[in-house]
Amino acid sequence: EAQVTQNPRYLITVTGKKLTVTCSQNMNHEYMSWYRQDPGLGLRQIYYSMNVEVTDKGDVPEGYKVSRKEKRNFPLILESPSPNQTSLYFCASRGRFYEQYFGPGTRLTVT
Amino acid sequence: TQLLEQSPQFLSIQEGENLTVYCNSSSVFSSLQWYRQEPGEGPVLLVTVVTGGEVKKLKRLTFQFGDARKDSSLHITAAQPGDTGLYLCAGPNDMRFGAGTRLTVKP
């Protein structure tokens, strides 16, 4: 089954404690991205990757890092999380017709 | 930056009613996508409209792309509780989304 997986689904952490949210897709897509979703603000792109070792900033990259060492994986790293990064995060991969496939989401709470 | 404005922000209707939600921009889009997001899940693509004036139907859902390719609408006929969710429009080229219309269909 074609899918995007994310882990963990839920995460509660404290300010400053580094964390990584994993993302993996099995569709051999080149383009992947991370979004955060906040009430009233919709989906905002954090980072995207057009292929292995090629990443670029989206609209809200501050406080986040990504890496793309393999085509299927695109982890999101928060080196020093802060409460304003409490949000719902989605990983997505994009098909050849620009259709996006989203993961199930990771709900992050930073206290 | 191509901004997408969606209206209404919230919509609550009774089962069986018809509704239309809108996606507008001041920019021209080469194509527009509509997604539906259910609680606790990621958005799922419903349709992509490409040609100005294009109309696509997906069962009880009708999608229209404006002639000038700056706006799009989604019309649902005889809404059902299963249509409840957040409807998002997106511009595929720059991967930007509108804030969405949250639809609730009451039995």
Side-chain angles (χ1 to χ4, degrees):
Chain A
E1 179 190 357
Q3 61 180 353
V4 177
T5 57
Q6 292 178 232
N7 283 291
R9 293 290 312 275
Y10 302 91
L11 180 58
I12 301 174
T13 190
V14 296
T15 298
K17 186 177 182 182
K18 180 179 179 180
L19 66 93
T20 299
V21 184
T22 64
C23 173
S24 182
Q25 51 97 2
N26 63 0
M27 294 168 279
N28 202 37
H29 290 161
E30 293 181 346
Y31 189 107
M32 297 183 72
S33 55
W34 275 101
Y35 293 87
R36 61 178 289 174
Q37 187 175 36
D38 302 288
L41 297 177
L43 282 161
R44 294 179 293 167
Q45 193 180 50
I46 302 170
Y47 267 95
Y48 64 95
S49 169
M50 300 190 72
N51 213 327
V52 175
E53 302 292 0
V54 181
T55 63
D56 209 345
K57 297 177 180 179
D59 293 324
V60 288
E62 292 77 22
Y64 305 95
K65 284 176 57 178
V66 293
S67 69
R68 188 90 180 276
K69 293 183 170 53
E70 309 165 273
K71 200 174 199 178
R72 64 183 292 125
N73 296 323
F74 190 42
L76 179 69
I77 303 156
L78 283 72
E79 295 268 4
S80 183
S82 62
N84 65 11
Q85 293 179 298
T86 292
S87 188
L88 180 58
Y89 291 87
F90 288 99
C91 178
S93 70
R94 191 178 76 183
R96 58 190 294 247
F97 297 109
Y98 286 63
E99 74 279 17
Q100 293 210 75
Y101 299 85
F102 285 83
T106 295
R107 186 167 292 282
L108 172 65
T109 302
V110 184
T111 61
Chain B
T1 301
Q2 296 181 310
L3 296 177
L4 290 162
E5 295 184 356
Q6 292 191 243
S7 60
Q9 189 175 356
F10 298 96
L11 186 58
S12 181
I13 61 172
Q14 292 294 134
E15 182 176 2
E17 294 183 8
N18 301 332
L19 66 109
T20 303
V21 299
Y22 301 92
C23 174
N24 295 292
S25 175
S26 58
S27 303
V28 175
F29 284 85
S30 59
S31 63
L32 270 178
Q33 297 173 328
W34 284 92
Y35 291 78
R36 179 169 67 207
Q37 183 180 11
E38 299 185 20
E41 299 180 9
V44 175
L45 180 67
L46 295 173
V47 76
T48 301
V49 286
V50 179
T51 306
E54 181 179 8
V55 176
K56 280 190 174 178
K57 292 193 174 184
L58 189 66
K59 297 183 181 178
R60 293 175 295 98
L61 279 60
T62 302
F63 303 86
Q64 185 160 6
F65 200 14
D67 291 341
R69 292 185 290 135
K70 292 183 177 182
D71 55 89
S72 182
S73 63
L74 159 58
H75 180 80
I76 301 179
T77 303
Q80 299 178 359
D83 296 326
T84 292
L86 179 67
Y87 289 82
L88 298 160
C89 65
N93 290 346
D94 63 3
M95 302 288 108
R96 285 187 170 84
F97 286 76
T101 292
R102 189 166 297 279
L103 172 66
T104 302
V105 182
K106 301 175 184 175

